[in-house]
């Protein structure tokens, strides 16, 4: 059965704002309603000061959406453009806010020293695998590390880290990340089925990322690694802007086409004034496990040359190896389970350079203004 957004809106008509008695759809606070099969998601714009008061409305909206025939899952989030605790102006007009106009500069995440994006110009180059193993490489240096799976279109961290189950609420709306191999992990994949990613629209992307950044009890972290969605489109740009990033690492395979995409990734981060910490060449060399013969299936050295051309650091290369794929797909990442293997050493060497770039960096960049089309 196909669920229509109109039916959801109808059902939401029964949900009223306590203060004004106004029906939710008339309040101008609703985002677009995303429907994917039997799943529904949308957000409600609020002032941060209203978070507690609006929680019953959020729950009622979720229940109303779930009551529509054909809906099996409803995810409703509250979106505030100022973190709680900041002096928010008393009740601005909601429609202006939900359109993202005049969004404030993003705040640092309390307790988190450095937020680093791992990005790629396109999917399938091994971005998530690299993000996971860099995180484990940083943890091997004795650092406190978290991973935020912001690849909301295809969350893969639950699988790569071998994590199942739902994060627990620790207080109010704050949830605890899950933990594997000493690394704290948060992924939208813990909330929704990984197999059927939802359709996300601009404000929802911001809402999801903001919640995963700020409503998760990360505790004290030296580095929070953010696995970005692949590509350099609007959603990626928005996400880069929504995250107080200290820097970005671009993952590419060596062939020309991938490098063109990687170049776009570098350009995107430069446009948002995020420092490029470096480029990683993934799937660079293939060494035949039987005869030891070395092959360069996708070419070799392209990313190093591209890094030089773009005046970005080259962080290293990771070979194409069955063990990396198998361990990643089994939820037993190679840097954790075979820490002395050449692959783990390659990831650790990359992690060391990332840390040097961060620890040496005295800046922490305020995020630029978010502008929605
Ligand atoms: P992305 O996040 O860029 O889409 P993934 O990290 O999910 O890419 O990797 C895509 C596939 O390639 C996965 O099956 C992963 O295990 C595999 N993979 C990634 N890096 C390597 C590598 N260096 N050698 C072998 N397989 C790899």
């Amino acid at each position: 059965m196909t669920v229509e957004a109109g039916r959801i809106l109808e059902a939401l008509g029964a949900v009223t704002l306590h203060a004004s008695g106004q029906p939710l759809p008339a309040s101008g606070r609703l985002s677009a309603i995303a429907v994917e099969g039997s799943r529904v998601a949308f957000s409600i714009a609020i002032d941060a000061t209203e978070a507690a008061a609006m929680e019953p409305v959020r729950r009622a909206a979720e229940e109303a959406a779930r009551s529509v025939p054909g809906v099996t899952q409803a995810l409703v989030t509250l979106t505030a453009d100022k973190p709680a605790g900041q002096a928010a102006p008393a009740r601005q007009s909601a429609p202006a806010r939900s359109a993202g106009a005049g969004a404030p500069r993003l705040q640092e995440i309390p307790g988190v020293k450095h937020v680093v994006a791992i990005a790629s110009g396109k999917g399938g180059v091994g971005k998530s695998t690299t993000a996971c193993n860099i995180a484990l490489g940083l943890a091997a240096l004795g650092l406190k590390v978290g991973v935020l799976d912001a690849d909301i279109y295809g969350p893969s961290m639950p699988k790569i880290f071998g994590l199942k189950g739902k994060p627990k609420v620790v207080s109010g709306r704050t949830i605890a990340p899950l933990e594997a191999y000493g690394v704290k992990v948060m992924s939208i994949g813990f909330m929704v089925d990984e197999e059927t990613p939802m359709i996300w629209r601009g404000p929802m992307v911001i809402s999801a990322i903001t919640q995963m950044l700020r409503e998760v009890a990360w505790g004290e972290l030296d580095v929070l690694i953010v696995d970005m969605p692949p590509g350099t489109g609007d959603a990626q740009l928005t996400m880069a802007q929504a995250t107080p990033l200290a820097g970005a690492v671009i993952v590419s395979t060596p062939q020309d086409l991938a490098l063109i995409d990687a170049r776009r990734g570098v350009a995107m981060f430069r446009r948002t004034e995020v420092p490029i910490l470096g480029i990683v060449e993934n799937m660079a060399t293939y060494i035949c496990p039987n005869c030891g013969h070395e092959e360069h299936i996708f070419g070799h050295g392209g990313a190093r040359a591209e890094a030089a051309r773009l005046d970005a650091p080259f962080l290293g290369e990771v070979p194409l190896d069955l063990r990396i794929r198998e361990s990643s797909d089994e939820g037993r990442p190679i840097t954790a389970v075979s820490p002395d293997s050449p692959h783990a050493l390659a990831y650790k060497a990359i992690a060391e350079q990332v840390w040097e770039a961060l620890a040496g960096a005295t800046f922490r960049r305020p995020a630029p203004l978010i502008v929605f089309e």
Side-chain angles (χ1 to χ4, degrees):
M1 176 192 261
T2 317
V3 179
E4 284 170 23
R7 296 294 310 278
I8 307 292
L9 268 181
E10 249 171 61
L12 291 177
V15 178
T16 52
L17 300 185
H18 297 316
S20 61
Q22 197 179 32
L24 187 52
S27 67
R29 292 167 176 254
L30 278 182
S31 70
I33 293 176
V35 181
E36 171 81 10
S38 62
R39 296 157 198 280
V40 174
F42 55 89
S43 62
I44 303 170
I46 59 161
D47 283 336
T49 50
E50 298 179 306
M54 287 293 286
E55 176 56 21
V57 177
R58 188 193 68 79
R59 271 204 304 269
E62 228 165 48
E63 272 164 36
R66 222 177 285 130
S67 72
V68 172
V71 174
T72 57
Q73 232 183 61
L75 180 72
V76 181
T77 53
L78 298 177
T79 327
D81 62 4
K82 275 195 192 317
Q86 267 209 336
R91 308 193 66 83
Q92 300 168 347
S93 83
R97 248 201 346 273
S98 59
R105 289 185 165 250
L106 278 142
Q107 300 296 306
E108 307 279 317
I109 302 157
V112 177
K113 292 205 186 98
H114 306 281
V115 184
V116 174
I118 312 290
S120 64
K122 62 172 194 163
V125 300
K127 169 183 56 60
S128 302
T129 305
T130 308
C132 161
N133 283 288
I134 289 180
L136 291 164
L138 290 165
L141 294 174
L143 298 168
K144 296 192 201 77
V145 184
V147 173
L148 192 165
D149 186 356
D151 191 349
I152 53 173
Y153 303 98
S156 49
M157 285 306 163
K159 187 173 92 181
I160 295 180
F161 275 97
L163 282 168
K164 283 204 178 70
K166 291 214 181 303
K168 291 197 172 50
V169 175
V170 284
S171 74
R173 286 174 55 78
T174 307
I175 56 177
L178 299 185
E179 200 165 326
Y181 307 105
V183 170
K184 292 177 179 169
V185 183
M186 183 61 207
S187 169
I188 200 84
F190 296 141
M191 300 341 165
V192 297
D193 185 358
E194 275 174 76
E195 303 297 311
T196 43
M198 316 213 15
I199 296 170
W200 297 87
R201 301 189 199 284
M204 285 172 51
V205 170
I206 293 295
S207 167
I209 183 83
T210 306
Q211 283 192 295
M212 288 199 292
L213 279 170
R214 298 177 193 285
E215 294 180 7
V216 169
W218 290 111
E220 296 288 321
L221 290 184
D222 294 302
V223 185
L224 178 60
I225 294 285
V226 180
D227 185 24
M228 297 283 288
T232 50
D234 286 349
Q236 289 77 2
L237 183 66
T238 306
M239 202 167 275
Q241 289 172 321
T243 315
L245 294 171
V249 172
I250 311 281
V251 181
S252 180
T253 46
Q255 73 273 38
D256 289 348
L257 274 177
L259 286 167
I260 291 170
D261 292 310
R263 209 171 297 157
R264 288 201 189 104
V266 169
M268 177 179 87
F269 283 107
R270 290 207 167 134
R271 194 140 55 100
T272 52
E273 292 170 38
V274 174
I276 303 295
L277 301 178
I279 297 179
V280 173
E281 182 165 288
N282 190 33
M283 309 189 187
T285 311
Y286 175 73
I287 298 170
C288 172
N290 296 322
C291 67
H293 174 67
E294 190 174 310
E295 293 261 22
H296 298 133
I297 291 174
F298 298 119
H300 182 226
R304 184 191 292 270
E306 193 61 30
R309 213 179 72 81
L310 293 168
D311 198 20
F314 181 67
L315 297 176
E317 40 188 75
V318 177
L320 173 69
D321 194 296
L322 189 60
R323 276 163 293 178
I324 295 181
R325 195 199 54 71
E326 280 176 349
S327 63
S328 200
D329 292 354
E330 284 168 4
R332 304 178 70 247
I334 198 143
T335 305
V337 300
S338 309
D340 298 322
S341 64
H343 314 97
L345 296 179
Y347 285 121
K348 285 187 197 173
I350 293 167
E352 273 169 35
Q353 292 176 74
V354 168
W355 179 242
E356 274 164 26
L358 290 173
T362 50
F363 52 84
R364 255 186 285 158
R365 189 191 62 92
L369 286 178
I370 301 164
V371 180
F372 287 98
E373 296 292 312

